[in-house]
Amino acid sequence: MAATAEKNYYEKLGVRQSASTEDIKKAFRKLAFKHHPDAGGNEEVFKGISEAYETLSDDAKRKEYDTFLKYGAFAGAAGTAGAGPWSGRAQQGNWQPIVNNGDVSAFSSLFERMRTGEGAFGTEWEFPRRKGKGRTVEVTLEISFEEAFVGAEKRVTIRIEDRESRQIDVKVPAGAAEGDKLRYRGKGSEGIKGGPNGDLVVCLTIKPHELYMRSGADVYFNLPVSIAEAALGAQIVIPTPDGNKVKLRIPKGTQDGAVLVIRGKGAPRLKAEGSGDLKVAVRVVVPSELNEEQSAALEAYMAADNPASLRPNLL
């Protein structure tokens, strides 16, 4: 109010003191949509804006209230607020409203009139009884590389608001990848006023593997080879992510960093048929120490070789 720390009625509705009755009505409708208890709003806030509207929408009450704002007390007997819906009192120049002498039951009938299109909103408008979908609940599930590759059935524990936790069985599809989300309809928070339940979203994280890395459906694998294997060629048996083994041919003269592809040995594709590829990166390992036999062999190779031919631009 003007004489107290509380906002006055015009401020509560967000309008100027010169606002028309129609402007006041529009402002109240907008705020009521936001704060009405049936729409999940704050009942105390709604009571405040309803009190303001009940006064400012009535010409006689508004005139009396404007007089209070101007002079700090109602016209009438000294020390006593004028008659009307406020039934307030003046003390040391301050006036504190007491709505219906503290009886808030009148607001219940106001709520009902609003729902049926009567009272404050006019007979042409009806406040809806809103149903709402429950809140979506998200949980994180960590799985192993193998579980993501071949699929798995897991159980997650969720806690909704302050209620008891419950367990939900989820199925991880073969080929699931880091960051994938599994949505389960109706497994989240309960709906509002009989509305549908929210969803459960399970966010997947995958533990790192000691050998393999994933990029989509393709799997990457680093294969260490010796200088001799890279130069002369070789056949090496390697493990595949599905638990099997294959024989990989290293061509003669394979360079460090070369990528050899094994088709169809990657992860299953979630949104298409077939699987990705296993991509093997060759890593030529230079020994840090040599025995006498190895040193002699390499010295003989160097004597027969012309390493300067590798650096023609430096000559």
Side-chain angles (χ1 to χ4, degrees):
M1 305 299 241
T4 70
E6 185 180 356
K7 287 184 178 180
N8 70 39
Y9 288 162
Y10 292 102
E11 290 174 341
K12 283 185 177 182
L13 296 180
V15 298
R16 297 178 180 272
Q17 192 169 349
S18 60
S20 67
T21 302
E22 185 61 27
D23 289 338
I24 291 173
K25 183 177 181 180
K26 289 179 180 179
F28 177 57
R29 284 185 175 183
K30 182 178 179 180
L31 292 171
F33 264 118
K34 180 179 180 181
H35 297 293
H36 194 284
D38 280 355
N42 185 300
E43 183 170 334
E44 292 303 316
V45 174
F46 181 76
K47 287 178 180 179
I49 62 176
S50 298
E51 174 190 331
Y53 180 79
E54 287 287 313
T55 298
L56 301 183
S57 62
D58 183 283
D59 290 341
K61 294 176 184 178
R62 182 177 180 181
K63 183 177 181 181
E64 189 178 25
Y65 180 70
D66 287 346
T67 301
F68 160 72
L69 291 181
K70 184 175 181 180
Y71 296 107
F74 283 106
T80 304
W86 304 285
S87 299
R89 61 181 178 273
Q91 295 180 351
Q92 298 178 356
N94 292 333
W95 180 80
Q96 177 65 37
I98 304 176
V99 181
N100 294 317
N101 291 320
D103 180 11
V104 298
S105 62
F107 284 106
S108 297
S109 61
L110 175 62
F111 296 163
E112 188 59 32
R113 294 201 309 274
M114 291 177 65
R115 294 187 186 112
T116 57
E118 300 176 357
F121 285 94
T123 56
E124 79 284 355
W125 187 86
E126 181 177 352
F127 192 91
R129 292 179 180 269
R130 294 186 178 180
K131 293 182 179 180
K133 185 175 181 179
R135 183 174 60 87
T136 296
V137 177
E138 286 196 5
V139 296
T140 299
L141 174 63
E142 186 180 53
I143 58 177
S144 68
F145 181 94
E146 291 81 4
E147 289 173 328
F149 195 90
V150 301
E153 292 186 359
K154 307 289 286 185
R155 179 167 292 179
V156 299
T157 301
I158 64 174
R159 185 177 183 85
I160 300 176
E161 283 89 30
D162 295 327
R163 302 181 182 180
E164 295 182 1
S165 59
R166 54 191 174 97
Q167 294 184 320
I168 305 292
D169 292 326
V170 300
K171 186 175 182 180
V172 179
E178 176 76 23
D180 281 354
K181 294 184 177 182
L182 310 178
R183 181 176 291 272
Y184 292 85
R185 304 289 182 185
K187 297 295 185 180
S189 180
E190 290 185 1
I192 301 170
K193 294 188 178 297
N197 288 353
D199 300 337
L200 169 65
V201 175
V202 181
C203 305
L204 299 179
T205 62
I206 302 176
K207 298 177 183 178
H209 195 277
E210 61 179 353
L211 293 179
Y212 306 113
M213 294 176 290
R214 283 273 303 274
S215 178
D218 292 335
V219 179
Y220 292 80
F221 173 52
N222 289 322
L223 177 63
V225 300
S226 69
I227 295 175
E229 287 174 323
L232 302 176
Q235 287 191 348
I236 302 175
V237 176
I238 65 171
T240 55
D242 58 8
N244 295 314
K245 294 183 178 181
V246 296
K247 186 177 289 185
L248 178 66
R249 187 178 72 87
I250 309 298
K252 291 181 180 180
T254 297
Q255 302 297 305
D256 180 64
V259 177
L260 307 177
V261 179
I262 304 176
R263 302 294 181 188
K265 285 298 182 180
R269 292 189 173 94
L270 283 178
K271 298 182 179 180
E273 295 183 358
S275 299
D277 301 328
L278 175 60
K279 298 183 177 182
V280 182
V282 175
R283 300 302 179 190
V284 179
V285 179
V286 178
S288 58
E289 295 183 1
L290 298 171
N291 57 34
E292 291 184 3
E293 184 179 0
Q294 291 169 331
S295 294
L298 284 178
E299 287 172 358
Y301 170 75
M302 185 179 295
D305 191 21
N306 180 18
S309 63
L310 300 176
R311 303 177 286 274
N313 294 335
L314 302 182
L315 298 178

